[in-house]
Structure formats: structure tokens, C-alpha cells
Amino acid sequence: MSLYPRSGEQIPSLTAQVARASNPGGTTAMWVRDKLDGIWRDEDSAAWYPRDGRPGLSPAQLATVSVLQFLYNLSDRQAAEAVRCRIDFKYALALELDDPGFHHSVLSDFRDRLAVEGRADAVFDLALARLQQAGLVKARGRQGTDSTYVLSRARELTRLELVLEAVRAALEETARIAPDLLEDLVDEEWALRYGRQVRLVSQPSHPATRLKQAGADAAAPLERLRTHRPGRPFGPQAEVLRRIVVQHFVVDARGRLRPRTDKDGRPPVGLRLESPYDTEARYVRRGHRSWTGYLAHVTETCDEKSVNVITDVATTVPTGDSTALPDVHTRPRRRRLLPAEHLLDGGYLSVVALPGGQG
């Protein structure tokens, strides 16, 4: 799919006439077009597409649809339907009234292109630069940073489920790359334990015994990989299993693995794996809320009598200190958008930082 730039197209006269007649006061979508026309250009995304192939949809238009989708809280299907049916959306995108729009899957394809490292930041930088030119964002104003939780894509697992699922994932991986290592290891009993995704009842029977057995099962494939593939790195899932074994088991006096207890010491929450698949997600407790996942930090302007504009977004991996503030000034400094006054969510404050606080 190739790109044929369409930037600079004017709103068709009939579309503008009908939109103004139907919405004399304008709508959010129309305001976006009137105030921010040209916020993105197709030429900015030319490197995302090959030089040959059938013409693709305008990335500048798709970026605008994505913004409107967020503003109106629409699903992909609803956003595609709005482009097809709503006059103000056609106005915002400079489309003819009879334009049929596009299939909703185009939006997820566009996000996939945008997800390549560096592209989203580049598009965000362009948007902020053009918002500055439009006078909607100014340096040395007042900005605020707030944070919210982001849930991991993986389901939450108990300690026993985590170890069992890690063993299953490592066995599946080994079966693909070195099936001969499992020939005399995986029998019918193992197939029953690890033949399907692990989902236990809330109170499984004999959890301590089953955890000990899971530790012994985990050691077997790891030992075979070390013995029969010396000097070769483990596959991703086998490496995850190795880390989970280290975090949740210790070697007893007889050389066998047993579950760690509080007396043995456990790794800090910021280092502890919570899923065999989403290995960066961490358990976080903040106030009365706890979750497994990440922290998203959003900085926006908050000057009086001015439109609030997001100037920075950072997603961090919790390290155990849920009040830790990322370096939110690095990117605004590069964009020349440093605030004169920076307000923080109360969750970032510690007692030591408050008047009268003691260390």
C-alpha cells in the first residue's frame, strides 16, 4: 500500500454549506477543522508506506479521526460509522457528502503503523508544534501532572497459578524448538497438568503440596536445557520460568526446590514477575487501590481561560515506589514547553515533602 499525499485539500463547498446550516453554532469536530486545519500532513508519514502498491487512505485524515474518536469516546466501528454518516465529521475531514468512508479495521491498521517505535512521539511532537503556532499552547505557563493505573493485558494469577502457567509456557516453547528433550519427560500425568491453560478455583486443594510439585516440575526442563544445550541461551519462556523459580523457590539441604517463605526473603515488588507473558507488569498498591500493570503519567496545561492541552505522556513500570515521578521535563524541554508552575497529583507527595514532615 502506497501513499499519495492529499494534504491541503479544501472543504467541499456543499459539505461546508450543509454543515453550517445544520450546526450554526458548530460542533467539536468542526472546531477541530476550523482551528487546527493542517495539524498533520500526509507528507509527515510518507516514510511509513512503500513507494508502490495501491493508494492508501490519508494518514492525516486517519489521525484526525483518531482524535475525534477519543474526544467522542467512540469504538472503531462507531468512529467509522460517524465518518460515513455525520456531516460534521465529513466537514472535519474535507470529504464530499457522498463519500462512503472506510471499513472500521482501517483504524486498527493505522494504530499498528503508529505503534512502531518513535512514530507516535514524532506525530505528537508535530501536533504540539502546530498547536503552539495556533497559539493554543505556550511555554512558561502552568501545567499539571496526574497519573492513573494501566492494567496488564494478562490476567492476575495466584502464586501457584503463576508457577504452573510458567511451566506450561516453557514446555510449549521447548516442544517447538527442541522436542527431543521432552520425549521421556512429559507423560500422561504431565499432559493432564500442563495440557491446557491453568485456571484454578479460588481455593484449590492442597496448594502447598501442589506448589512444591510445580517447583520440581519447573526444575526438570530447565536442567535438561542446561545439560543438552550448553552455552546456548534459554528461549524467552524458559528464561521467564528460570526467573520465577529463583523468585519463588530456594534449594533445601537435600538439593531440592521448596517454596520461599517470609524467613527466606522474597524479591522486592518492583522486581517480581506477575505473569509469564507480560513480564514488565508489576503489582502496585497506591492508597486504597491495588492492581497489576503500569502507571501512566499525563501532563497538561491548566492556565485559566485557556484550552487544556496534553503536553506529555509517560508510561512507567512501577518499581515499588508508586509515588515516583518520571522525568516529565525532558520531553517538554526539548519541545520548548517547560512550565513556570508545575502542579502534581497528591499521590506523588510524601510526608517528608510536606511542611513539618520528618524523615
Side-chain angles (χ1 to χ4, degrees):
M1 183 172 291
S2 58
L3 176 64
Y4 292 83
R6 297 178 53 190
S7 300
E9 290 191 1
Q10 300 299 312
I11 303 173
S13 57
L14 184 58
T15 301
Q17 179 182 347
V18 174
R20 291 297 180 193
S22 303
N23 304 281
T27 67
T28 300
M30 295 170 67
W31 182 91
V32 167
R33 177 70 189 193
D34 292 338
K35 298 292 185 180
L36 305 176
D37 182 20
I39 189 171
W40 290 290
R41 302 187 181 96
D42 289 339
E43 291 81 0
D44 300 328
S45 309
W48 302 5
Y49 298 83
R51 295 184 178 181
D52 53 3
R54 61 187 180 86
L57 295 173
S58 163
Q61 287 184 332
L62 293 177
T64 302
V65 173
S66 298
V67 170
L68 295 175
Q69 181 180 3
F70 173 80
L71 290 174
Y72 287 97
N73 193 26
L74 303 176
S75 66
D76 285 355
R77 290 179 182 274
Q78 291 170 331
E81 182 179 6
V83 172
R84 185 170 60 254
C85 302
R86 289 183 55 158
I87 297 173
D88 57 342
F89 270 56
K90 293 185 183 296
Y91 179 97
L93 300 174
L95 297 176
E96 298 285 355
L97 290 178
D98 59 354
D99 192 291
F102 50 78
H103 192 267
H104 66 86
S105 62
V106 169
L107 291 172
S108 62
D109 292 339
F110 175 71
R111 290 194 296 270
D112 289 341
R113 291 183 185 274
L114 195 62
V116 174
E117 185 175 0
R119 287 180 179 176
D121 284 342
V123 170
F124 190 42
D125 287 347
L126 287 170
L128 286 175
R130 288 164 188 166
L131 286 169
Q132 284 180 279
Q133 294 171 5
L136 295 177
V137 182
K138 297 180 181 179
R140 298 303 175 185
R142 184 167 64 173
Q143 299 184 25
T145 296
D146 199 353
S147 65
T148 188
Y149 62 94
V150 179
L151 299 179
S152 168
R153 292 178 298 175
R155 64 188 177 93
E156 293 191 10
L157 303 173
T158 65
R159 188 183 184 190
L160 175 57
E161 286 177 323
L162 173 64
V163 177
L164 290 173
E165 186 62 23
V167 174
R168 190 188 74 83
L171 290 174
E172 293 280 357
E173 179 182 71
T174 305
R176 292 193 300 270
I177 64 176
D180 54 301
L181 299 185
L182 304 179
E183 286 182 357
D184 58 345
L185 176 64
V186 177
D187 54 18
E188 183 177 355
E189 186 177 348
W190 276 59
L192 288 174
R193 285 203 295 269
Y194 303 111
R196 63 182 64 184
Q197 191 177 48
V198 177
R199 290 185 180 274
L200 302 179
V201 296
S202 58
Q203 294 183 339
S205 58
H206 310 294
T209 301
R210 297 179 68 176
L211 183 60
K212 186 176 180 180
Q213 179 63 56
D217 291 351
L222 292 177
E223 182 60 32
R224 291 193 174 209
L225 286 169
R226 291 191 192 97
T227 303
H228 297 282
R229 296 166 64 89
R232 301 177 66 175
F234 287 173
Q237 292 301 148
E239 176 60 24
V240 168
L241 176 60
R242 185 195 66 78
R243 292 172 59 186
I244 288 175
V245 167
V246 170
Q247 292 176 2
H248 291 278
F249 295 88
V250 294
V251 180
D252 62 18
R254 294 179 294 176
R256 299 177 181 176
L257 291 179
R258 65 167 176 80
R260 282 184 180 271
T261 64
D262 292 337
K263 293 182 179 179
D264 299 315
R266 296 185 181 180
V269 173
L271 298 177
R272 197 179 305 162
L273 297 182
E274 301 293 339
S275 166
Y277 308 111
D278 193 348
T279 57
E280 292 187 343
R282 296 293 183 266
Y283 174 80
V284 189
R285 180 180 292 278
R286 197 175 194 191
H288 299 292
R289 180 183 294 278
S290 62
W291 71 95
T292 298
Y294 308 87
L295 275 171
H297 312 264
V298 179
T299 302
E300 67 177 346
T301 59
C302 51
D303 292 308
E304 295 182 0
K305 298 180 181 180
S306 177
V307 177
N308 289 3
V309 177
I310 294 175
T311 58
D312 189 56
V313 178
T315 301
T316 60
V317 177
T319 59
D321 181 6
S322 62
T323 65
L325 181 67
D327 188 3
V328 294
H329 285 166
T330 299
R331 289 177 293 275
R333 183 181 294 110
R334 172 170 54 80
R335 297 165 182 148
R336 298 182 181 180
L337 284 176
L338 281 174
E341 182 180 5
H342 196 161
L343 309 179
L344 296 179
D345 171 14
Y348 291 117
L349 299 179
S350 65
V351 175
V352 177
L354 296 175
Q358 297 179 357

